[in-house]
Amino acid sequence: MSAGTTWFADLILPLPLPELFTYGVPVEMKDNLVPGMRVVVQFGRQKVFAALVYECHNRPPEKYAVKEILSVLDDFPVVTDSQFRLWKWISDYYLCSMGEVMAAALPSALRLQSESIITRNPEFDGDTSVLTDREYLVFEALEMQQELRLKDISKILSLKHVLPVLRSMLNKRLIRVREEVEEKYKPRMIDVVSLNVNEFPEEKLGKLLDSLEKRAAKQLDLVMAVLQFTREEEVEEIPKSQLLKRSGSTAAALNALVRKGVLKVKKRQEDRIAAYTGSLIEPLVLNPYQEQSLKETKFAFEQGKVTLLHGVTSSGKTELYIHLIRDSLNQGKQVLYLLPEIALTTQLIGRLQKHFGDRLLVYHSRFNEQERVEVWNKLLEDNLNTEGRGRLVIGARSAVLLPLQKLGLVIVDEEHDHSYKQEDPAPRYNARDAAIVMAAQQDAAVLLGTATPSMESYFNALSGKYDLVTLDRRHADLEMPDVALVDMRDARKRKQLSGHFSHALLEELKGVLKEGQQAIIFQNRRGFAPYLECNTCAWTPVCNNCDVSLTYHKFKNELRCHYCGFMQGVPARCVQCGDQDIRMRGYGTERIEEELQSMLPGTRIARLDYDTTRSKSGYRDIITSFEEGEIDVLVGTQMVTKGLDFDRVQLVGILNADSILHYPEFRAHERGFQLLAQVSGRAGRRKHGKVLIQSHQVDNPVLAFVLRHAYKDFYMHELNERYKFFYPPYCRLIEIRLKHKDEKRIDKLSGELTLELKKMFAKRVLGPTIPYVSRVRNLYQRHLLIKLEKTLSISEVKKSLQLALAAFKQKPENRQLIIQVDVDPL
Ligand code: ADP
Ligand code: ZN
Ligand code: ZN
């Protein structure tokens, strides 16, 4: 520590350590250093990190001697005060470190853990007489190489610890340190096609078209499509992929035209955040029910209350949002529109772009790092900009962590959706709840929208904590679809089954197809992964690292573990008995698609699931072809349930409701109702539609509520169950997940920890239990659950819990134990 330090900065380091670290601020940095900037510091003996300044102050730490900050990376803060306030809340509420929140928030191109790169400081005035010999060597090397890593410098100097040299050079302002950016900025290039007007002026073109008409129809289509597009859009170039799709022509035809010199193809840099150039449209005129709901919502906003909009599917919630967003933007405010990841569709983005043009920013996990940084930087610019054009940011969970600080409105669409909660790694936050806190911190309005509210939100709404606005009619007085059950036991008895389809469903399907309408077949993802089984001894291939059977992927003919990614080929014979008769069990969407294809030959079927949509365009392509009527039946998992709006879907078939409802967790019924109601909602969005639910247990009470579209009755029924067994919304839950590579140890330790916690929380501690999958990645797992009355001070409880867990982990014999805390688990 240098003698004169009186200024300090608390830093967030990119490490899973609970506390912040205090470093000294060199006098020459003091005036320019503010929270939110990144700085370079040494941590431990060897490591150099970039860290984030959280607070600047003049209180020397008591426990340790401070090191000094080596250099400052930013000229202005990359993280705002309002972000810090939210991060702090997340860290306190979800019992995680600021470093973990930072890691979740910062795009890795801004993140602070990669290797440092040393460059020359261009502002250095050139007087090399101040340099020591070593420094001169480095300086010279930098002249030749532009940038060096620490290990290069080590080599040049034949010195192990080069930091003191670098530090001195930093002090003399000879060099700069910057972060290695994982993914270097690479502009994305696309092929664009244009007419070669120099070679083919108008009259020559006319002749060409005549000749093509007779001999080359595909080529003619292409040229016509180029002409039409360039005229309509008032542009000169059309992206090649778009052209081929639009014209229905082929790449071969295109190449022929290029050879003739009619068309030109060149590369163009595609804007990552594609600028919207079309004209903007006015919001639709609301129907009287929507009008009423809008009025109620605005009134609730004035009261400063979180508003829950309970609107049935297709009631026009999105139209309401559009009105509210407009109001907020017109006041120069920012709007955050959160959606579950898979509901973030091109469909919706396109719809919003027509209203808000380039004020709309999208933040997507399918974006690459550079695209994320661009959104981040745009928002930072917004914050500096006082003239106040509003901004709409639409994104999934992590968008709540963006640098928004002029927030006027937060919309959480599909608020019940479980993907708002991050499971792993920490921070295990719920973006819906974080968004509510964020809005409160910035005095912004909050609208939670859904057709199937979570138990918690509806409870809050009925108890007056939130305001409830109900929109229970579909737009244009369209009726809710007819929902009917198919009793699969009965169908089996009567031999009215073909594969996994009841004849009732098949007949219905054929009828729909005959009318030229479309259908969606839903297969629950859970519990239906196909696996292999020996037909003789029932042996099943299992994962080496986890306690689960391997999932069979037919497409690649391989077995994969869905928990750890372990992969292996399909065995030729049974490992246990040597028999070769190994069969596939369970049925995934792939199998359903195949079955359907063989029963309904000629039908155009596509599959929407994790496998078919892994690429960014996979999802979009499938949705688009379904929209454009190139597909008759869409077979899909959960992905088909979210916010899709298709005109011609007359029928939704749910293959197996039981798998959804019979899941051993207290939220199974809630989840099941939501899922079934949401899938049903995809039917008949323009014309009265139908839903068929196949089930082996048709007397399950939840199904009756689904048939009647009776959310509120379902809620009352379920609430009663929650009351009886003391579950949320009547209590709060904290789950403690323990992991250890030794099974005996984990049994012992989880027992000990339970006793320890019972001293504090008595009967509120339940467990330890063995989770459904008891071993993952070679770690055995045990769970404890703490149930807390809502009258307890939750922050007190968390403090004591955190201390107790830290003390337990501190014991030398417990070092190998991994403890994860999940507050409000889902
Ligand atoms: P939700 O979000 O509740 O499922 P949407 O906002 O997507 O419902 O509306 C369903 C369909 O009805 C959409 O195609 C939408 O354009 C149309 N729609 C909703 N409200 C109106 C309105 N007031 N005027 C015209 N069309 C509307
Ligand atoms: Zn066998
Ligand atoms: Zn595994």
Side-chain angles (χ1 to χ4, degrees):
M1 168 179 157
S2 72
T5 302
T6 50
W7 291 94
F8 302 93
D10 290 348
L11 306 182
I12 307 175
L13 267 70
L15 301 166
L17 297 170
E19 63 251 74
L20 301 178
F21 290 87
T22 306
Y23 278 76
V25 180
V27 131
E28 69 276 11
M29 283 179 199
K30 171 186 142 256
D31 291 336
N32 298 320
L33 194 68
V34 295
M37 288 182 180
R38 293 171 304 159
V39 293
V40 179
V41 293
Q42 189 183 346
F43 184 81
R45 282 216 165 175
Q46 302 244 14
K47 291 222 163 85
V48 174
F49 277 114
L52 193 57
V53 178
Y54 180 67
E55 197 193 338
C56 297
H57 57 82
N58 55 9
R59 309 179 302 271
E62 285 163 15
K63 281 185 265 174
Y64 50 91
V66 293
K67 291 191 189 121
E68 285 202 336
I69 290 173
L70 299 179
S71 70
V72 182
L73 287 174
D74 299 309
D75 298 327
F76 55 88
V78 295
V79 173
T80 66
D81 297 348
S82 43
Q83 279 177 296
F84 277 141
R85 269 189 291 163
L86 184 68
W87 292 13
K88 183 79 173 74
W89 178 83
I90 290 176
S91 142
D92 289 346
Y93 187 88
Y94 293 104
L95 300 177
C96 59
S97 74
M98 286 293 269
E100 287 168 325
V101 186
M102 176 173 79
L106 283 187
S108 75
L110 285 178
R111 214 178 298 154
L112 316 165
Q113 54 202 1
S114 33
E115 255 187 292
S116 296
I117 292 182
I118 312 296
T119 55
R120 235 182 188 194
N121 179 1
E123 282 159 25
F124 179 64
D125 59 11
D127 180 9
T128 48
S129 68
V130 298
L131 305 190
T132 65
D133 288 353
R134 275 184 178 151
E135 287 168 7
Y136 192 76
L137 272 176
V138 177
F139 196 70
E140 214 178 36
L142 281 173
E143 190 149 303
M144 274 141 42
Q145 304 207 15
Q146 316 273 327
E147 49 180 60
L148 294 172
R149 283 153 205 272
L150 290 195
K151 60 173 189 291
D152 304 329
I153 297 178
S154 255
K155 265 192 215 138
I156 293 166
L157 299 181
S158 317
L159 192 69
K160 202 159 164 221
H161 298 297
V162 295
L163 272 173
V165 181
L166 293 181
R167 191 182 134 151
S168 151
M169 292 182 80
L170 278 166
N171 284 346
K172 292 178 185 166
R173 297 179 170 277
L174 287 161
I175 54 168
R176 284 187 171 171
V177 181
R178 73 173 163 79
E179 283 292 303
E180 162 82 303
V181 178
E182 281 175 14
E183 215 171 332
K184 287 253 171 61
Y185 183 90
K186 261 198 244 95
R188 191 193 300 143
M189 305 300 280
I190 56 167
D191 283 338
V192 289
V193 181
S194 59
L195 200 62
N196 196 348
V197 269
N198 292 338
E199 295 275 332
F200 282 86
E202 221 159 279
E203 79 273 23
K204 202 170 162 197
L205 190 65
K207 281 195 199 124
L208 173 84
L209 293 179
D210 288 343
S211 75
L212 287 179
E213 190 163 6
K214 295 185 199 99
R215 290 179 291 114
K218 286 252 184 256
Q219 293 181 27
L220 179 69
D221 290 347
L222 262 177
V223 178
M224 294 307 287
V226 174
L227 286 173
Q228 195 189 0
F229 182 87
T230 49
R231 196 175 316 126
E232 275 171 17
E233 307 277 326
E234 296 178 358
V235 290
E236 284 175 8
E237 302 163 344
I238 169 169
K240 181 174 152 188
S241 54
Q242 210 173 329
L243 174 65
L244 291 179
K245 192 156 183 187
R246 213 177 140 122
S247 61
S249 190
T250 60
L254 176 61
N255 290 339
L257 286 166
V258 171
R259 272 197 306 274
K260 288 182 195 165
V262 184
L263 297 180
K264 288 188 295 189
V265 178
K266 65 173 190 193
K267 298 248 179 238
R268 187 176 78 190
Q269 181 173 338
E270 191 188 41
D271 258 346
R272 283 151 201 284
I273 305 163
Y276 180 74
T277 49
S279 49
L280 300 185
I281 60 169
E282 291 293 308
L284 300 179
V285 178
L286 296 182
N287 67 40
Y289 310 102
Q290 293 169 334
E291 200 60 70
Q292 176 63 22
S293 293
L294 184 66
K295 222 166 81 191
E296 289 173 22
T297 305
K298 286 183 177 170
F299 183 73
F301 284 178
E302 278 165 27
Q303 317 294 306
K305 270 192 174 177
V306 173
T307 307
L308 174 65
L309 173 63
H310 177 207
V312 295
T313 51
S314 247
S315 57
K317 293 185 289 297
T318 317
E319 292 305 324
L320 280 194
Y321 302 158
I322 289 170
H323 279 257
L324 293 164
I325 293 167
R326 244 171 96 93
D327 287 355
S328 229
L329 294 185
N330 287 341
Q331 295 167 24
K333 300 274 191 155
Q334 293 168 327
V335 178
L336 174 62
Y337 185 152
L338 291 179
L339 273 159
E341 178 69 39
I342 53 178
L344 208 56
T345 56
T346 341
Q347 239 186 6
L348 178 72
I349 292 167
R351 189 167 161 193
L352 292 172
Q353 253 175 347
K354 288 199 185 116
H355 288 277
F356 304 112
D358 62 358
R359 293 202 195 180
L360 171 70
L361 286 184
V362 183
Y363 196 66
H364 213 288
S365 78
R366 288 179 202 214
F367 276 5
N368 67 35
E369 282 310 319
Q370 199 54 41
E371 290 170 311
R372 287 166 180 246
V373 176
E374 280 166 25
V375 172
W376 190 284
N377 288 339
K378 273 227 165 88
L379 291 175
L380 287 179
E381 270 170 44
D382 278 2
N383 292 336
L384 296 177
N385 195 343
T386 45
E387 138 224 9
R389 249 160 72 75
R391 179 71 84 183
L392 169 62
V393 179
I394 163 167
R397 186 170 66 211
S398 62
V400 78
L401 302 170
L402 283 170
L404 293 156
Q405 64 178 25
K406 293 194 283 192
L407 210 52
L409 170 65
V410 178
I411 294 168
V412 185
D413 198 15
E414 315 285 0
E415 68 83 26
H416 64 278
D417 198 278
H418 286 203
S419 70
Y420 282 126
K421 175 87 178 178
Q422 173 151 323
E423 292 243 353
D424 261 322
R428 297 183 175 81
Y429 67 107
N430 186 319
R432 173 195 64 202
D433 299 339
I436 292 173
V437 170
M438 181 188 195
Q441 288 173 343
Q442 300 192 33
D443 217 4
V446 183
L447 184 63
L448 310 178
T450 173
T452 52
S454 63
M455 292 298 291
E456 283 86 348
S457 294
Y458 207 69
F459 185 81
N460 284 335
L462 292 191
S463 69
K465 184 172 170 194
Y466 295 171
D467 217 89
L468 179 64
V469 174
T470 308
L471 191 52
D472 51 13
R473 280 174 201 250
R474 287 187 143 187
H475 173 64
D477 288 321
L478 199 68
E479 278 173 74
M480 293 302 284
D482 281 332
V483 186
L485 286 177
V486 180
D487 185 337
M488 292 297 271
R489 279 190 200 160
D490 188 59
R492 173 152 310 171
K493 248 186 258 155
R494 293 168 194 266
K495 301 214 175 345
Q496 292 176 340
L497 285 184
S498 298
H500 300 94
F501 290 81
S502 61
H503 290 175
L505 179 52
L506 279 176
E507 283 315 305
E508 204 67 54
L509 199 52
K510 284 179 194 159
V512 163
L513 293 174
K514 207 187 224 159
E515 286 175 31
Q517 302 288 320
Q518 294 173 307
I520 290 178
I521 300 295
F522 172 75
Q523 166 63 350
N524 189 31
R525 191 176 38 199
R526 260 183 165 170
F528 279 92
Y531 59 96
L532 299 181
E533 191 180 83
C534 168
N535 206 32
T536 312
C537 75
W539 168 82
T540 289
V542 293
C543 178
N544 284 352
N545 316 314
C546 314
D547 173 28
V548 287
S549 45
L550 293 170
T551 301
Y552 177 57
H553 287 250
K554 176 151 186 277
F555 176 61
K556 291 209 167 143
N557 196 36
E558 66 188 11
L559 295 167
R560 244 185 267 167
C561 171
H562 282 191
Y563 285 80
C564 75
F566 172 84
M567 239 185 281
Q568 72 174 44
V570 174
R573 44 182 72 237
C574 171
V575 167
Q576 200 162 273
C577 75
D579 203 306
Q580 291 186 358
D581 188 9
I582 294 178
R583 301 199 174 167
M584 186 168 78
R585 305 272 179 222
Y587 55 114
T589 39
E590 216 172 58
R591 177 85 177 273
I592 298 299
E593 184 189 7
E594 257 178 30
E595 238 177 44
L596 208 53
Q597 195 68 74
S598 72
M599 289 188 289
L600 305 171
T603 308
R604 296 165 304 172
I605 304 173
R607 181 156 60 88
L608 191 71
D609 59 18
Y610 182 71
D611 276 345
T612 57
T613 59
R614 225 156 332 151
S615 75
K616 196 165 169 178
S617 56
Y619 184 83
R620 196 169 54 204
D621 291 349
I622 296 170
I623 299 291
T624 310
S625 15
F626 194 52
E627 244 169 2
E628 290 175 357
E630 292 159 10
I631 296 171
D632 305 312
V633 181
L634 191 59
V635 176
T637 57
Q638 264 72 349
M639 280 190 181
V640 301
T641 62
K642 304 290 160 80
L644 294 171
D645 188 13
F646 299 115
D647 285 358
R648 295 194 298 125
V649 174
Q650 269 316 101
L651 173 71
V652 168
I654 295 168
L655 286 184
N656 187 317
D658 312 325
S659 67
I660 305 168
L661 295 168
H662 299 266
Y663 209 77
E665 59 171 36
F666 78 93
R667 283 185 215 274
H669 281 182
E670 177 183 358
R671 223 189 261 249
F673 180 88
Q674 286 164 348
L675 194 52
L676 294 173
Q678 293 283 353
V679 184
S680 306
R682 300 308 117 211
R685 286 170 78 91
R686 293 293 176 285
K687 216 172 109 189
H688 194 191
K690 184 153 191 180
V691 180
L692 279 186
I693 302 180
Q694 300 190 154
S695 164
H696 291 84
Q697 292 172 0
V698 286
D699 51 358
N700 186 306
V702 176
L703 291 173
F705 299 121
V706 175
L707 295 194
R708 291 191 287 116
H709 306 284
Y711 172 79
K712 194 156 180 196
D713 293 348
F714 163 76
Y715 169 82
M716 297 312 281
H717 166 86
E718 178 65 16
L719 192 68
N720 192 33
E721 300 290 307
R722 302 285 178 93
Y723 183 79
K724 270 196 285 193
F725 300 102
F726 194 51
Y727 270 111
Y730 289 103
C731 72
R732 295 173 200 278
L733 298 179
I734 299 179
E735 187 172 71
I736 299 174
R737 304 204 273 261
L738 305 171
K739 300 183 183 179
H740 200 290
K741 60 181 195 301
D742 182 335
E743 189 163 24
K744 286 209 182 83
R745 289 289 298 161
I746 199 166
D747 276 329
K748 181 166 174 292
L749 293 184
S750 53
E752 282 173 18
L753 181 61
T754 309
L755 287 180
E756 201 61 44
L757 294 179
K758 278 191 170 162
K759 286 184 200 155
M760 232 183 312
F761 302 115
K763 279 196 292 196
R764 299 181 184 90
V765 184
L766 307 180
T769 55
I770 303 176
Y772 177 66
V773 178
S774 69
R775 185 180 57 120
V776 173
R777 294 174 193 269
N778 280 320
L779 294 171
Y780 292 90
Q781 322 223 5
R782 299 291 181 267
H783 290 178
L784 303 184
L785 190 65
I786 309 182
K787 274 184 171 180
L788 300 160
E789 304 91 296
K790 282 192 151 172
T791 46
L792 292 177
S793 156
I794 190 79
S795 53
E796 292 298 314
V797 166
K798 284 177 187 163
K799 259 184 230 148
S800 349
L801 177 65
Q802 213 165 15
L803 288 175
L805 293 178
F808 191 77
K809 174 101 175 101
Q810 209 65 59
K811 297 183 192 163
E813 68 272 25
N814 295 353
R815 285 277 157 80
Q816 304 240 358
L817 180 69
I818 297 169
I819 305 181
Q820 293 174 345
V821 183
D822 191 357
V823 177
D824 302 341
L826 281 185

